Amino acid sequence: MSLPDGVTRRAFDGTQSLATTGEPVYGESTSEGWRQWVPDRSKLGAMFELGVDTGLAGGETVLYLGAASGTTVSHVADFAGPTYAVEFAPRPMRDLLEVAADRDRLFPLLKDARAPETYAHVVEPVDAIIQDVATRGQADVALSNRRFLRDDGRLVMAIKARSEDVTREPDAVFADVIDRLKTGYEILDRQSLEPYHDDHLAVIARPR
């Protein structure tokens, strides 16, 4: 699996790691303008480390759902094109605004990913939806935001089992979420994100 243009491997403190160019955000190591992409702190970074074929090539227009303080979406904006970053909580949004100040392709939106109609007037058609939301109804979030995704686009999703139902076995939760996703998406790949993230499943899909 090849990495997107703008993502490479560099040596940080003697260890090879994923890296993008840009201003540091979360205390990650830097070297000659490159910043380390720490997979333990990023579901997408873990996907790249594990060899998941995300379909991302670099330069895409991206809708990022669940941007939080900007740890992962900052790396995305370093290698992608226009990147719309949706985050619901005001406190991490303040951090995200600081991250965006150094990135002219990153557009923070203080919105709820479960209500895409509230930002439909802002977001253009996108090549990829990257989703990392810690809420019930993760499949419904992906389905409701499908309206923005081009016909040949990709959904790159990290399913968090404990956010759906902490009482059930993760594999059962993953199966239910995928069944729901199939009403609007064709599933291309799925892979556990262990050992980087427990009880998380990467899902790559395209719109039906």
Side-chain angles (χ1 to χ4, degrees):
M1 191 276 299
S2 60
L3 295 170
D5 289 345
V7 182
T8 189
R9 292 189 178 275
R10 301 278 296 188
F12 296 91
D13 302 322
T15 302
Q16 289 290 316
S17 179
L18 295 168
T20 62
T21 57
E23 291 297 315
V25 169
Y26 53 99
E28 69 275 24
S29 297
T30 59
S31 174
E32 298 178 343
W34 293 89
R35 50 191 292 250
Q36 184 179 20
W37 194 341
V38 182
D40 300 272
R41 299 190 59 178
S42 168
K43 315 304 189 313
L44 184 60
M47 292 182 203
F48 288 143
E49 284 286 7
L50 293 168
V52 177
D53 185 359
T54 63
L56 299 173
E60 295 92 351
T61 302
V62 173
L63 174 60
Y64 193 105
L65 305 175
S69 297
T71 297
T72 297
V73 78
S74 63
H75 286 290
V76 172
D78 288 346
F79 74 82
T83 302
Y84 300 92
V86 176
E87 173 53 44
F88 176 68
R91 177 63 189 89
M93 175 55 69
R94 290 198 290 271
D95 294 334
L96 184 59
L97 288 170
E98 292 185 15
V99 172
D102 297 315
R103 291 170 171 84
D104 59 10
R105 297 193 299 267
L106 180 56
F107 305 102
L109 300 172
L110 181 60
K111 299 291 184 181
D112 187 340
R114 295 169 296 185
E117 65 276 5
T118 63
Y119 47 88
H121 62 293
V122 176
V123 177
E124 63 187 299
V126 301
D127 303 303
I129 293 174
I130 301 174
Q131 179 173 321
D132 180 15
V133 296
T135 184
R136 287 181 181 269
Q138 292 167 73
D140 290 332
V141 171
L143 289 165
S144 64
N145 282 273
R146 179 179 171 275
R147 68 180 73 184
F148 302 110
L149 192 57
R150 298 184 190 276
D151 291 343
D152 59 349
R154 288 291 181 272
L155 170 69
V156 180
M157 180 177 180
I159 303 173
K160 184 176 183 178
R162 299 303 179 189
S163 292
E164 284 288 338
D165 191 339
V166 72
T167 67
R168 300 176 64 211
E169 286 297 315
D171 285 348
V173 173
F174 296 147
D176 285 351
V177 174
I178 287 172
D179 282 346
R180 175 70 177 136
L181 278 174
K182 286 179 178 178
T183 64
Y185 290 94
E186 177 187 354
I187 308 301
L188 302 176
D189 195 14
R190 68 193 79 179
Q191 184 171 328
S192 169
L193 290 181
E194 294 183 358
Y196 299 107
H197 302 276
D198 294 338
D199 302 328
H200 283 74
L201 185 74
V203 173
I204 312 302
R206 62 186 173 199
R208 288 189 179 278

